[in-house]
């Protein structure tokens, strides 16, 4: 059989495969979008009372969840609406954890880039600072700071940022060592750019972009840390609703009689942390593929 005939009989090339839709990723993204939107617009949603027990004297206490009632997720011991407290608690958890990550990323990212680019004595000093922070267990550090600082969202964010700073320093330093060998840095040096310009104009934007997946993972970790401190009674305290102190309302045997006091905020906490972790993992894989292609 001749070559043209063989080519004619050869199977035609398959069309490009359709990209599979990551349903779990979309569900997690939708959950976070709805939760964040609800938290931002909470004051205008017309929710039931979440904090002031004086306004709920006529409301049923310990009402179990009932989707068709005025309290679809139930009420607590003071008749406060669980759905409202979940949403207002999301405002606290999101604001504190995201603020802490932003602070940790700015401080840790700057120190990491400076250490990775300048090397030498500066690198050793910053490395010693990083190892010192890592030597102290995170929970013990947070408990110590929480007992000293006045319980407020700002102080919580500052305390939690100390957990993110060491990891950010190490990751950004490692990425800086790789980016410092790229052509755009060499060109900037050849054009006479100073160290400050190279650090803040050339390296910082590229390095910080690469740690966005890590930021999402840190958000989830700090949400758990904030909830843990509130659960222990050394974080934000009632009547300010947080997911941690809401779970703490099930202590002293109340969970056995009224399980929704724990299950509702715990389920929301789990879904939120899982979603942030999954988004961070997917973004990391996408970034790794982009790095390989470059």
């Amino acid at each position: 059989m001749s070559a043209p005939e063989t080519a004619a009989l050869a199977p035609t090339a398959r069309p490009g495969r359709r990209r599979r839709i990551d349903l779990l990723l979309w569900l997690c993204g939708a959950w976070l979008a709805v939760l964040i939107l609800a938290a931002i617009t909470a004051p205008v949603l017309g929710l039931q009372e979440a904090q002031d027990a004086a306004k709920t004297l006529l409301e049923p206490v310990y009402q179990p969840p009932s989707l068709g009632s005025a309290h679809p997720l139930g009420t607590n011991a003071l008749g406060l609406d669980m759905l409202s407290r979940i949403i207002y608690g999301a405002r606290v958890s999101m604001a504190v954890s995201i603020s802490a990550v932003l602070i940790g990323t700015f401080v840790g990212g700057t120190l990491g880039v400076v250490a990775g680019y300048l090397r030498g004595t500066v690198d050793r000093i910053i490395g010693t600072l990083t190892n010192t922070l890592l030597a102290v267990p995170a929970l013990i550090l947070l408990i110590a700071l929480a007992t000293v600082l006045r319980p407020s969202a700002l102080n919580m964010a500052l305390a939690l940022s100390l957990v993110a700073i060491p990891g950010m320093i190490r990751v950004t330093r490692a990425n800086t060592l790789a980016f410092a060998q790229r052509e755009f840095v060499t060109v900037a040096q050849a054009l006479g750019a100073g160290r400050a310009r190279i650090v803040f104009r050339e390296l910082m934007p590229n390095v910080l972009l690469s740690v966005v997946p890590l930021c999402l993972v840190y958000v989830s970790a700090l949400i758990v840390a904030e909830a843990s401190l509130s659960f222990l009674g050394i974080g934000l305290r009632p009547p300010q609703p947080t997911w941690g102190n809401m779970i703490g309302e099930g202590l002293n045997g109340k969970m056995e009689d009224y399980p929704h006091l724990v299950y509702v905020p715990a389920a929301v906490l789990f879904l939120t942390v899982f979603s942030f972790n999954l988004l961070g993992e997917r973004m990391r894989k996408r970034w790794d593929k982009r790095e390989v292609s470059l």
Side-chain angles (χ1 to χ4, degrees):
M1 186 178 293
S2 63
E5 292 175 342
T6 303
L9 294 176
T12 58
R14 292 183 179 181
R17 292 183 178 180
R18 293 183 179 180
R19 295 181 61 183
R20 293 191 340 183
I21 297 177
D22 193 335
L23 180 59
L24 184 59
L25 177 65
W26 281 99
L27 290 174
C28 290
W31 166 260
L32 291 178
V34 170
L35 186 65
I36 293 172
L37 181 62
I40 293 174
T41 60
V44 298
L45 291 180
L47 299 171
Q48 300 285 341
E49 184 56 40
Q51 297 187 46
D52 191 355
K55 298 180 180 179
T56 60
L57 296 176
L58 300 180
E59 298 293 337
V61 298
Y62 294 127
Q63 177 182 314
S66 177
L67 298 180
S69 68
H71 307 285
L73 297 183
T75 61
N76 67 357
L78 300 176
L80 298 173
D81 184 64
M82 294 288 288
L83 175 60
S84 300
R85 290 176 64 77
I86 286 291
I87 294 176
Y88 277 98
R91 301 186 81 187
V92 175
S93 295
M94 295 290 185
V96 168
S97 59
I98 292 175
S99 298
V101 170
L102 290 177
I103 296 171
T105 302
F106 177 76
V107 176
T110 302
L111 292 177
V113 172
V114 170
Y117 182 68
L118 298 183
R119 307 296 298 276
T121 303
V122 174
D123 189 17
R124 287 193 293 271
I125 293 174
I126 295 176
T128 302
L129 172 64
T130 304
N131 292 331
T132 302
L133 289 175
L134 290 173
V136 182
L139 184 59
I140 294 177
L141 175 64
L142 292 175
I143 291 175
L145 291 174
T147 55
V148 173
L149 300 175
R150 183 176 61 87
S152 68
L154 177 59
N155 288 339
M156 287 290 294
L158 292 175
L160 291 172
S161 68
L162 294 178
V163 177
I165 287 175
M168 285 296 177
I169 291 177
R170 287 197 165 185
V171 172
T172 53
R173 177 186 178 278
N175 288 340
T176 300
L177 293 175
F179 278 110
Q181 309 302 319
R182 295 287 182 87
E183 291 79 3
F184 63 89
V185 176
T186 305
V187 170
Q189 292 172 338
L191 293 176
R195 289 181 172 181
R197 177 182 174 83
I198 292 175
V199 167
F200 292 103
R201 295 290 299 275
E202 305 295 341
L203 290 173
M204 284 284 284
N206 290 283
V207 171
L208 292 183
L209 181 62
S210 67
V211 300
V212 170
L214 179 62
C215 290
L216 294 177
V217 175
Y218 265 123
V219 168
S220 67
L222 296 187
I223 287 176
V224 174
E226 184 277 327
S228 301
L229 293 177
S230 296
F231 175 80
L232 295 173
I234 54 179
L236 297 176
R237 297 167 187 172
Q240 173 69 59
T242 71
W243 295 339
N245 63 35
M246 289 179 68
I247 295 175
E249 292 178 0
L251 294 175
N252 300 322
K254 294 180 181 177
M255 178 181 173
E256 287 76 7
D257 297 325
Y258 313 105
H260 69 281
L261 294 178
V262 174
Y263 290 156
V264 170
V268 174
L269 178 63
F270 167 78
L271 290 174
T272 305
V273 171
F274 178 83
S275 298
F276 273 116
N277 276 328
L278 184 72
L279 288 176
E281 179 65 17
R282 294 292 194 273
M283 287 188 67
R284 184 190 63 80
K285 290 181 179 179
R286 189 177 185 87
W287 176 261
D288 289 346
K289 291 180 180 178
R290 178 178 179 271
E291 286 293 288
V292 170
S293 65
L294 289 177

